[in-house]
Amino acid sequence: MSTVAPSTVKAFDESSLEKIAYNSIKSIPTREQNDNYRLGYHLWQWLSARQGTLEQAVKNSGSRILISEQETITIIKQELQKSGITL
């Protein structure tokens, strides 16, 4: 039996919306890692379509965030501004 090396994973470019979204929520404490992924995905959706508000995107993610919703939104806004995205 032979084994084949796993496929390589190509990371997103640092300036892509996907990378910006997921990097923006890295410092937000959540109950489980999957909550973090869910929050990042909803932020990416919001950045892509700009439908609704950032507050709605955070709430709709259903992530179990361990800090207040307002603190979460403040952190996300700061991180997005660092990445050059204006709200």
Side-chain angles (χ1 to χ4, degrees), residues 18-60:
E18 293 89 349
K19 194 72 161 181
I20 291 171
Y22 283 94
N23 283 340
S24 297
I25 54 97
K26 274 186 177 179
S27 64
I28 297 172
T30 56
R31 189 175 296 170
E32 294 179 10
Q33 185 65 37
N34 195 40
D35 293 317
N36 213 321
Y37 296 145
R38 211 173 12 254
L39 180 58
Y41 174 74
H42 278 79
L43 180 57
W44 169 74
Q45 272 190 322
W46 179 76
L47 286 171
S48 298
R50 292 289 175 119
Q51 293 178 341
T53 63
L54 176 58
E55 290 81 4
Q56 288 173 329
V58 170
K59 187 171 225 51
N60 290 342

Side-chain angles (χ1 to χ4, degrees), residues 63-74:
S63 296
R64 296 167 292 180
I65 302 168
L66 301 177
I67 58 176
S68 74
E69 200 170 294
Q70 191 56 43
E71 286 178 283
T72 302
I73 292 166
T74 302

